[in-house]
Amino acid sequence: MEIHPKITPIYQTSVFKFEDLHELESYFESPESRYMYSRNGNPNSDELANAVTKLEAGAGGIATGSGMAAIFAALLAYCQAGDHVLCAADIYGGSSSLLNAELSRMNITVTYVPFDALYSLAEFVKPTTRVLLAETISNPLLRVADLRQLAEECHRYGLKLIVDNTFASPILTRPLALGADITLHSVTKYIAGHSDVTAGAVVAADPDVAVRLKEIGMHYGLTLSPMESWLAVRGLKTLHLRIRQHCLNAMAIAEFLNQHPSVAAVYYPGLPTHPQHVLAAEQGKGLFGGMLSFKIADEAEKVNQLMRRSQRFPFAPSLAGVDSSLSYPLGTSHRYLTPEQQQQLGITTGLIRLSAGIEPVDELIADLEQALA
Ligand SMILES: *Cc1c(COP(=O)(O)O)cnc(C)c1O
């Protein structure tokens, strides 16, 4: 009986069989011809890597066990001991922890570049600087980086640009097309999209860098499991539909919050008052993403009340799932920044991050209305 599954089955196997020495030899002659060991390659993780590579229009990439593993792999693709990294000051808390606590031990040093200085890097660049790491849309204040300008500025000094494209997704923005050298995702977020997978992906513009990423994945064991890969591929098939609804819902919620008397500020690139609104519209093809943040009074008890009262926005320190959620940057993603860094970035007691899901938006707004009352 021949089996012709319509979709790729889950190859839940750690290893693949060889008939004889001849087969083993032919594998080593052309490793692309078959599979040997799932840490080195598996049909499910390759399917995910290829799908994200296609979406990002890159030369090649890898699927990783998490978004953090993706960031690690991207940095190692260009850096070794003694090198220096520039990192946008507005960055995912885990990225700065990786740089501060771990890569520093490998003698890879970091300098943080304030958002307003991103396009004039002269004073930050050293002879050992190799890369700049930035996000298309930053966490948690939704600042939008001009990737074309940033890539030009990086390349002027021979630096590679690594873009964490998690918040935007490739539906809004394809960093490689704008000049970035590597783009990466926490697949945990929009790409998988259902809050049931932890995964990452890294995609390079240059085929040689893609080969290097594959080696890094194998040697450090950053590989993603078959089951997680399969779930992420299933999620990815609806990415373009989900993103549209996430964006519509986020826009409606941002407009609602913007006119609410208890809300002091709303951070959403879709609002005309957002400082990078015009850039966001151009770079995001008229879509502004599903993430927003807002400020209420700087009182922990007020934040507690809102979290307890809301029914449709569970407090869950992640984002980008089909179900809406709230998060609290000061207590979670940006907890380990110094108080000065928190202050400089505007991460205060009253700052709440909202991930708009794809539920009926009037239900979401009604829930926020009663929770804020
Ligand atoms: C969540 C997140 C990460 C880390 O991804 P994990 O899958 O949790 O390891 C990196 N960057 C951004 C922007 C994120 O939101």
Side-chain angles (χ1 to χ4, degrees):
M1 192 195 351
E2 284 200 62
I3 304 171
H4 297 288
K6 181 162 179 267
I7 62 143
T8 313
I10 307 171
Y11 289 90
Q12 191 68 32
T13 182
S14 61
V15 66
F16 299 82
K17 294 189 287 189
F18 289 82
E19 207 58 54
D20 54 19
L21 290 178
H22 173 73
E23 255 191 35
L24 186 68
E25 281 316 306
S26 63
Y27 167 75
F28 280 98
E29 274 161 29
S30 68
E32 299 299 312
S33 63
R34 55 160 291 159
Y35 291 98
M36 179 173 80
Y37 189 56
S38 281
R39 174 162 51 74
N40 301 0
N42 170 286
N44 297 110
S45 55
D46 281 0
E47 186 178 25
L48 175 61
N50 293 337
V52 180
T53 298
K54 193 170 164 215
L55 267 178
E56 289 283 13
I62 57 168
T64 57
S66 67
M68 289 303 300
I71 297 167
F72 184 55
L75 289 168
L76 289 187
Y78 295 121
C79 297
Q80 61 180 29
D83 286 344
H84 175 238
V85 171
L86 294 180
C87 181
D90 295 78
I91 199 84
Y92 177 68
S95 306
S96 50
S97 297
L98 173 65
L99 286 159
N100 298 348
E102 302 297 340
L103 292 181
S104 60
R105 297 158 66 95
M106 300 182 181
N107 196 22
I108 295 172
T109 55
V110 60
T111 302
Y112 292 94
V113 182
F115 185 80
D116 295 325
L118 280 174
Y119 314 110
S120 42
L121 296 174
E123 62 170 301
F124 301 96
V125 177
K126 303 180 189 185
T128 52
T129 312
R130 298 287 170 253
V131 301
L132 185 140
L133 171 66
E135 294 170 1
T136 311
I137 304 178
S138 80
N139 180 18
L141 288 177
L142 293 305
R143 291 189 167 126
V144 181
D146 185 333
L147 296 183
R148 193 175 278 125
Q149 210 185 327
L150 198 52
E152 263 173 34
E153 182 67 6
C154 286
H155 295 158
R156 190 184 320 250
Y157 300 100
L159 314 185
K160 303 295 184 188
L161 175 61
I162 300 174
V163 175
D164 182 336
N165 200 30
T166 301
F167 269 42
S169 91
I171 307 299
L172 270 65
T173 305
R174 290 175 164 178
L176 302 182
L178 301 173
D181 299 283
I182 282 185
T183 178
L184 64 89
H185 287 273
S186 169
V187 168
T188 314
K189 315 294 169 49
Y190 284 115
I191 289 187
H194 295 70
S195 308
D196 53 11
V197 178
T198 300
V202 202
V203 176
D206 176 342
D208 293 340
V209 178
V211 170
R212 181 72 193 116
L213 285 172
K214 197 148 173 95
E215 288 168 359
I216 290 166
M218 270 194 272
H219 296 157
Y220 285 89
L222 305 177
T223 324
L224 185 63
S225 71
M227 178 72 191
E228 308 303 286
S229 302
W230 186 87
L231 279 169
V233 166
R234 187 167 72 157
L236 190 147
K237 289 175 186 174
T238 55
L239 179 67
H240 59 296
L241 298 175
R242 284 185 284 110
I243 288 287
R244 286 195 178 269
Q245 197 60 41
H246 283 296
C247 293
L248 286 173
N249 285 5
M251 181 68 102
I253 292 169
E255 282 170 351
F256 163 76
L257 291 172
N258 206 28
Q259 51 76 50
H260 197 284
S262 308
V263 175
V266 180
Y267 304 88
Y268 184 62
L271 294 176
T273 47
H274 185 281
Q276 295 94 40
H277 174 68
V278 174
L279 166 68
E282 187 241 324
Q283 201 165 258
K285 307 187 199 80
L287 297 172
F288 300 97
M291 297 302 302
L292 61 101
S293 292
F294 62 102
K295 264 185 188 157
I296 58 170
D298 274 325
E299 292 170 46
E301 198 36 47
K302 288 251 160 42
V303 176
N304 272 326
Q305 275 175 6
L306 176 71
M307 283 181 172
R308 289 192 198 114
R309 278 195 203 159
S310 78
Q311 301 295 305
R312 304 299 298 267
F313 293 86
F315 168 68
S318 185
L319 60 110
V322 288
D323 301 309
S324 297
S325 62
L326 291 181
S327 183
Y328 189 59
L330 188 64
T332 60
S333 55
H334 293 69
R335 189 183 186 96
Y336 296 109
L337 267 53
T338 63
E340 297 77 55
Q341 277 177 309
Q342 289 167 346
Q343 181 73 32
Q344 275 165 11
L345 290 176
I347 296 165
T348 59
T349 309
L351 182 73
I352 296 168
R353 194 186 71 191
L354 187 154
S355 174
I358 62 169
E359 307 96 325
V361 74
D362 46 340
E363 293 176 20
L364 297 178
I365 289 176
D367 183 53
L368 283 173
E369 191 149 35
Q370 65 80 25
L372 282 166

